[in-house]
Each structure stands twice: as structure tokens, then as C-alpha cells.
Amino acid sequence: DNTLTDSEDLYQIALLIDQLKHDETQLRVNAARQLVPIARALGPERTRNELIPFLNDSVDDEDEVIAVIAEKLGELSSCVGGNEYAYIILSPLEFLICGEDSVVREKAVVSIETVVSKLTEDQCTKMFIPFLNRLAGKDWFTSRAAAASLVHLTFTKVSDKMKLDLASLYLRLCSDETPTVRRTAAQNLVQFLKVAQNCDQSAVVASLLEAFQAFSRDEQDSIRIQVIPICKALSQISTPDMRISQVLSVILAVSSDRSWRLRWALANRIHEIIEVFSENKSSAVAATASATSLASHVNTITSSITSLSSIFDTLLNDSEAEVRAAATTHLAAVSKCLMKATIVERLLPTAQRLASDSSEFVRASFALEICMLSPSLGRDDTIQLLLPILLNLLRDEVSEVRLNVISGLDAVNKVIGIELLSQALLPSIAELAQDVKWRVRLAVIEHLPMLARHLGKDFFLVDGESSSPGNILTNTSILGGGTSLMQLSVNWLSDEVFQIRKAAAENLFRLAQQFGLAWTTSQILPTIQHLKAQSKFTQRLTALHTIQVLFGLNRERSTSTQSDNDGEVLVMYQALLRVVFDLAVDNVPNIRLNVAKTLLMAANEPRLSVEICDSCIAGCSGASSNVFSETFTILDKLMEDQDRDVKFYAKKAMEEFDRLA
């Protein structure tokens, strides 16, 4: 049994009372969190007769405490002896839901919803309806706002006459003199409308739609803005005629509202409304059996979508830059719901203007979205209509705009192919690669592997010579000045910013994954050897970082590929280790430290560590084993280094090799 003895009960109650009245707030919070265990220990009868009355006297406390009480009261409804006694919980909740703190009121609403779900029809009529009337009749606006959020809860549980009374109460709150009450009523209109439709209360539905129209004309911006999510919900649950008469008219009014906040909010949500209309069109095609009614239904929805596209176009041309930027963010999502002809006739003329918008934020947002229109336009229209806009954006003076275009070019490439993009794309990459903002250079590096996947290795040769003589898209001729994409990748390794050098090394690793060992040996190894001989220690350090990432190249290849190209792997490893050994006698301790770390990584690379151990144990002197057999000699020297960090990592590397041997 969970019931405690009387002495234990008294102790628990006394402890709870003491802690709830303690001077320290945290103790009162902790006590409030224990309400449910205490109620279970007391049993249903004592919970009803002692605990609930005690809580009625404890609701005047710090907001932090009563917020916990408001949350736990809903759970207490299962501890009072069954659903027939659940209404008792409404007593303390009535005080809490009228409080000034919004968090307390929100938690009280959730608890009241839990309690109401357990009430019978008779209890709703006798207990909850008077509860609502008391809230709606109080002078303080918080209680009336609470009533507006609760009216719909019992609508399905009461008689038809009481339904009309509840609707009348709600409509009175919709026209309350306090904006907060009207705003709360607007936020709960959709829920009320759904339950009214489910109960076939057409008169109530009509009254609620009138309230919706009144909200759209309210003098307060904070209330008019609530009609936007209502429009989306109405699009989902209303009939086609209601969508035209109610939703479209309100959206049209909001699109030209005097408040830019409303237009901004609509710009952020209109794509969702258009998507709902588009889904309704698909559902109509699937559900309508009659060809005549199907055509009529589809034409009605198509006309609505066309009207919404005109409203969207209006938002794209708004006088406020914030509204235009918000609308352009959803350009691709809207285009997916429109017919190709609508995109060409309505959106593309506006898109041409947005490409030269006075606000760089609008242009940057537009540049991210414009590429996503290509799947909707198809190859021919993308080449004829979209490419000129992209070329204009690629010449933009703001680097973020050009970078955003490059970020989205993968979608265009899937439609028209990389060849048609290259002549405009590569010069912009060359310019962005030297941008003064290091984050822009970093973003270009991150997008380079994607370009490599489509361009191929001909664009990533240091000397700029194509392996395909007939290929007219030689990268040096497009970039100009003899600069290749590979040369750009090499230049990043000498960047002044460490994050750029690090990203450049990782970029070479990803390129090596795509182009194979032969390309890695011919293109990357000379770069590393060049960096090793530089006077700046940061460049020599970058050589080591690049070697470290390349050590993982063999792990990324399949087993069959490894066996087929094992000789190439060993040649690459020998060349990399030779650079590491040359730097082991560097004058800079940080270089020698990273040499030790690099050899530790070599010990953790399976293929390389096996070769080193076998060569050293056998004492081979052949050409293929000379470099590998020197590893232990280098580590012995590093373990005697004057720098303790160098010695530490050299010792760890030697221990790892000893373990493997």
C-alpha cells in the first residue's frame, strides 16, 4: 500500500507547509514540485479536504513558485479520487489564471485543459461554465483573456443552447475594449472554429467568420497580425467558396496594410498558404468523380493560386526592404506551387529588378533563392531567362551576393550542365578567393569540392593543361592570367588566417578523394614540398597539417581499390614521410612538435604503420624501404629534443609503434 500511517501523513503535511512558507524561494519551489507524491501519500480524500484548500491559500507567492504549482495542479487531477472530483482542481486554478505573469497563466491553461478533459457534460454545465462566466466578468483584463483561451474546451460537451451561449461569450470577448483580450481571442479562433464545424453549428461558424473579418480590420497591429496564421488554418479546413470570400480578401488587405510588420509577417507565411491551396488542388483531382465538377473545382483553386501569386509579387515589390527580403526567402517554395507560365509572366520580371535591388540584404537573400527556380523553368527557359539574372548577380559588388549564387549553382547545374555556367562562374570564384573577408574565402573553399565533382580534374591542374586536348573549357583560359582552380587551392595554404589554411588542407583531402592517388601524387605532393622550403614557419606548419589529413586518404578507399593501387599508396607515403623527416630538424619547436604529432598519426594509420614496422624490424635497405626504416631514427632524435612537448609526443609515437611491432 502507498498510504502512509497517520503520523507519517502529519509529518509530510507539516514538512510541505513549512517548506512552502519558507523564506528561501528555492525550498518553496522544491516543495511545490513534490505535490503529486504528497497527494498520493495522503490519499484522495485528504487531498480533496486538506491539500487543495491549503493550495488555495498558497497561490499568493513568487511567480517562480506559483508557476510550478500551476503546472502540477493538472497532474493532481488524477489524485483526487477519480474524474468525478476533478472539478475541485479548478478552485486554485481560478486564482492562478488571473495572475499577471504570462508563464503562470500559460501553465494554468494547460492544467485547466487537463481537468476539463475529465469532466462530464453535467459537470461542464454546472462547474466549468460558471467558472468561465466569472473569468469573463472580472475587471482585470488577464482573467478575460484567460476566458477567451478556454471557451472552446467544453463546446462539444454541452447542449445546443449552451453552445450558443458559449459562442456569444466568445464573440463578446472578441470585441473587448482591451487589445490583449482581443489578441488572445484571435489566437484561439481557429480552435473554436474547428469544434464548431465538427458540431455542425453553421450559425456559430458564420459568427466566427465575422469575428475573423473584424480582426483583420482592428486598429491594433498586434491583432491584425493574428489573422495571418488564421488564413492558413482556414485554407485547410474551409470550403473553396469560403477560401475565396474569406481568406483571399483578407490576405489582399494585409498585403497593402499600412503596417510594414503585417506585410513582413505575411511575406514569411504566404508560401505556406499557397502550398495549402496547391495541396487542395491535388486532393480535388483525386477525390472528384465528375469531370464537370472537377474542372470547375480545379479552375477555382487555380484562380486562387494565381491571385496569391499576384499578392506574393506585390510583397516582392514592397517599399520596405525587410518585407522584400522576407518574401525573396520563400521564392523557391512559392515557385514549386505555380505553373511555369505564371513564373515566367509574373515572378521573373520582378526577379530581374530584385537582382539590382538597392538593398544588399535583399540581393543576398534573392541570390540564395533564384537558382532554385531552374527545376521549375526547365533547361531552355533557365538558359534564356535565368542565366542573365545569375550573370548580373555574379557581377554584384557585394561578395556575399556572389557567394550565395555560387552556393546554389548545384541546382542550376542539374538542369543545364556545368559547361554553360563555367565561363561566368570561374572568374567569380577567382575573385571571391581573394576577398578581404576571410569568411567569404572560407565559404568558397567549402564549395570547391562540389564544383570539382561537376567540373572534373581538368580544372584542377597546377599547370592549367587539360588532359583532354579537345576540351575548350580549359580552366586557365576561363579564369585568366594563367590561374587555375588548383592554383587557387594552393594559394589558400599560404593564407594569413589559420582557419583558411586548415580548410584549404581539408579541401585538398576531399579533392584527392575525388581524383585519386595519381592526381594526388602529381598535384598535391609538389605543393607540400614547396611549402616545406618556405621561410615562414606557418607555411611549413601547413605542410604538416596537409600531410596529416592525407594520411587518412587510404582509409577512405575501398578494399579492392587499395589492393589494385597498393604501390601508388606506398609511393605517396614515402614522399610524405620524406617531407616530415626533413622538418624534424627545423629550428622552430612548434614545427618539431607537429612532426612528432604527425608520426603519432602515422602509427594510427594501419597500412602505413605496418609498412614502417616491417621495414624497421627487417632492416631493409631497398629503395622502397629506406624512408620507412628511418622512422624510428627520427623518433629517437625527437625524444632527446630540448622541448618537453616534442619529447612527450615523440615518446607516445614510439610507444605506439612498439605496441604494433
Side-chain angles (χ1 to χ4, degrees):
D1 293 334
N2 292 329
T3 305
L4 304 179
T5 64
D6 289 342
S7 60
E8 290 174 323
D9 287 348
L10 291 174
Y11 174 74
Q12 293 283 5
I13 288 291
L15 180 61
L16 174 63
I17 293 173
D18 288 343
Q19 290 185 342
L20 282 174
K21 293 184 176 181
H22 200 279
D23 292 338
E24 189 175 340
T25 303
Q26 190 57 47
L27 284 178
R28 299 200 301 276
V29 171
N30 293 338
R33 288 174 178 158
Q34 298 301 315
L35 285 176
V36 174
I38 292 298
R40 289 173 179 165
L42 291 176
E45 185 175 354
R46 294 192 65 185
T47 297
R48 297 194 303 269
N49 297 333
E50 298 177 33
L51 183 57
I52 299 301
F54 171 74
L55 292 177
N56 280 331
D57 298 331
S58 303
V59 293
D60 186 15
D61 203 333
E62 299 287 341
D63 292 338
E64 187 179 358
V65 178
I66 60 177
V68 177
I69 294 176
E71 180 181 6
K72 294 298 179 181
L73 279 172
E75 300 177 29
L76 280 182
S77 61
S78 61
C79 303
V80 293
N83 292 348
E84 59 183 307
Y85 296 105
Y87 69 91
I88 294 175
I89 306 296
L90 293 175
S91 179
L93 285 171
E94 184 172 351
F95 293 98
L96 295 173
I97 203 169
C98 297
E100 295 183 3
D101 187 83
S102 60
V103 175
V104 175
R105 295 200 304 270
E106 290 171 3
K107 292 183 180 296
V109 167
V110 174
S111 293
I112 290 174
E113 290 175 352
T114 302
V115 173
V116 172
S117 66
K118 299 180 179 182
L119 299 181
T120 64
E121 180 177 336
D122 186 60
Q123 288 175 326
C124 287
T125 303
K126 294 181 178 179
M127 304 295 179
F128 189 67
I129 300 301
F131 172 85
L132 281 177
N133 288 325
R134 288 195 300 274
L135 291 178
K138 290 180 184 275
D139 293 335
W140 193 239
F141 74 90
T142 56
S143 62
R144 301 199 302 276
S149 64
L150 299 172
V151 174
H152 67 280
L153 293 179
T154 57
F155 195 82
T156 59
K157 291 186 175 183
V158 297
S159 64
D160 289 344
K161 181 180 181 302
M162 194 62 69
K163 285 182 173 66
L164 295 177
D165 291 341
L166 286 174
S168 177
L169 173 63
Y170 175 77
L171 292 173
R172 190 174 82 234
L173 295 171
C174 288
S175 58
D176 193 274
E177 62 180 9
T178 306
T180 303
V181 179
R182 300 200 302 275
R183 183 171 66 248
T184 305
Q187 291 170 342
N188 288 272
L189 186 141
V190 172
Q191 293 174 302
F192 205 156
L193 188 61
K194 287 180 179 179
V195 295
Q197 283 186 323
N198 293 336
C199 296
D200 294 327
Q201 295 289 322
S202 57
V204 175
V205 171
S207 299
L208 294 177
L209 291 176
E210 291 178 4
F212 165 62
Q213 293 290 336
F215 287 141
S216 69
R217 298 187 298 268
D218 198 281
E219 61 182 10
Q220 294 288 327
D221 296 355
S222 61
I223 297 170
R224 296 201 304 277
I225 204 171
Q226 301 300 325
V227 304
I228 297 173
I230 296 176
C231 285
K232 178 188 175 183
L234 283 178
S235 301
Q236 295 172 315
I237 65 175
S238 60
T239 63
D241 293 338
M242 187 184 297
R243 293 189 201 109
I244 296 174
S245 62
Q246 299 289 335
V247 177
L248 284 180
S249 61
V250 170
I251 293 177
L252 181 61
V254 172
S255 67
S256 57
D257 194 276
R258 63 183 180 275
S259 170
W260 73 268
R261 289 179 62 245
L262 258 72
R263 304 196 304 273
W264 176 84
L266 178 60
N268 278 305
R269 300 293 296 270
I270 192 171
H271 69 286
E272 299 176 356
I273 300 172
I274 294 177
E275 287 172 356
V276 171
F277 272 77
S278 181
E279 291 170 1
N280 290 334
K281 180 179 179 180
S282 301
S283 301
V285 173
T288 307
S290 170
T292 304
S293 60
L294 172 61
S296 176
H297 198 172
V298 170
N299 288 338
T300 300
I301 298 178
T302 301
S303 176
S304 300
I305 294 176
T306 302
S307 300
L308 287 171
S309 68
S310 299
I311 295 173
F312 180 69
D313 185 63
T314 300
L315 295 171
L316 289 173
N317 289 281
D318 196 271
S319 58
E320 293 290 337
E322 288 83 356
V323 178
R324 299 197 301 274
T328 55
T329 303
H330 306 293
L331 182 61
V334 171
S335 299
K336 292 179 182 178
C337 303
L338 303 180
M339 293 185 295
K340 181 178 176 180
T342 304
I343 298 174
V344 173
E345 294 172 6
R346 294 185 182 273
L347 297 188
L348 283 184
T350 299
Q352 293 173 350
R353 190 200 61 75
L354 289 172
S356 55
D357 194 275
S358 58
S359 170
E360 65 180 73
F361 301 105
V362 174
R363 298 199 305 276
S365 176
F366 173 70
L368 274 175
E369 290 288 307
I370 186 63
C371 294
M372 304 304 168
L373 266 63
S374 54
S376 301
L377 291 174
R379 190 176 191 277
D380 293 340
D381 283 331
T382 297
I383 295 172
Q384 183 179 355
L385 303 174
L386 201 61
L387 273 185
I389 299 176
L390 296 178
L391 296 178
N392 188 21
L393 290 170
L394 285 171
R395 291 190 293 267
D396 196 282
E397 62 182 9
V398 179
S399 56
E400 284 84 355
V401 176
R402 302 194 301 273
L403 184 62
N404 286 347
V405 175
I406 293 173
S407 301
L409 283 178
D410 194 31
V412 181
N413 171 64
K414 291 178 181 178
V415 176
I416 67 173
I418 197 65
E419 293 81 3
L420 294 173
L421 293 175
S422 298
Q423 293 188 0
L425 172 64
L426 298 184
S428 295
I429 291 180
E431 187 175 349
L432 287 170
Q434 304 171 45
D435 195 273
V436 294
K437 298 178 182 179
W438 71 268
R439 294 185 186 277
V440 174
R441 302 197 300 274
L442 180 63
V444 174
I445 295 174
E446 291 172 348
H447 285 92
L448 208 57
M450 180 272 292
L451 295 173
R453 186 170 65 252
H454 299 299
L455 291 171
K457 65 176 66 177
D458 283 347
F459 284 81
F460 289 85
L461 302 175
V462 172
D463 58 8
E465 294 181 359
S466 172
S467 59
S468 304
N471 188 353
I472 63 170
L473 293 174
T474 306
N475 61 87
T476 53
S477 63
I478 293 177
L479 285 173
T483 305
S484 68
L485 288 177
M486 188 60 197
Q487 189 61 53
L488 293 177
S489 302
V490 170
N491 292 343
W492 283 321
L493 292 171
S494 302
D495 197 278
E496 295 180 356
V497 179
F498 170 74
Q499 288 292 343
I500 298 297
R501 299 195 300 272
K502 179 182 177 183
E506 294 171 353
N507 170 62
L508 290 179
F509 172 75
R510 293 193 292 270
L511 293 178
Q513 284 179 299
Q514 292 190 42
F515 297 149
L517 289 172
W519 179 89
T520 304
T521 303
S522 64
Q523 300 297 319
I524 297 182
L525 289 184
T527 298
I528 295 175
Q529 292 165 350
H530 175 75
L531 290 173
K532 176 200 70 173
Q534 297 304 302
S535 58
K536 284 187 177 181
F537 86 94
T538 55
Q539 294 182 327
R540 303 198 298 277
L541 193 60
T542 302
L544 287 172
H545 288 164
T546 307
I547 291 172
Q548 290 172 5
V549 298
L550 288 178
F551 275 165
L553 186 61
N554 193 51
R555 290 195 304 268
E556 302 294 330
R557 296 159 56 238
S558 64
T559 305
S560 61
T561 304
Q562 290 179 15
S563 60
D564 293 341
N565 299 286
D566 197 58
E568 293 182 8
V569 174
L570 294 180
V571 169
M572 183 188 72
Y573 280 156
Q574 288 183 76
L576 295 177
L577 283 176
R578 174 53 63 195
V579 174
V580 174
F581 296 162
D582 290 344
L583 292 173
V585 294
D586 197 281
N587 294 328
V588 179
N590 196 17
I591 299 295
R592 302 196 300 276
L593 171 63
N594 277 274
V595 167
K597 289 182 177 181
T598 303
L599 292 177
L600 177 60
M601 293 183 66
N604 294 318
E605 173 54 44
R607 182 67 183 88
L608 179 57
S609 59
V610 168
E611 189 67 29
I612 291 173
C613 291
D614 290 348
S615 299
C616 292
I617 292 174
C620 296
S621 58
S624 63
S625 299
N626 279 339
V627 175
F628 296 126
S629 60
E630 293 179 23
T631 304
F632 284 10
T633 303
I634 297 298
L635 285 174
D636 287 336
K637 293 179 180 178
L638 292 175
M639 285 192 295
E640 298 176 358
D641 197 276
Q642 295 179 352
D643 189 284
R644 61 182 182 180
D645 292 329
V646 176
K647 290 191 289 186
F648 173 79
Y649 280 99
K651 183 179 179 181
K652 285 189 66 175
M654 182 64 82
E655 290 173 352
E656 187 66 21
F657 278 119
D658 288 342
R659 184 184 65 81
L660 294 172

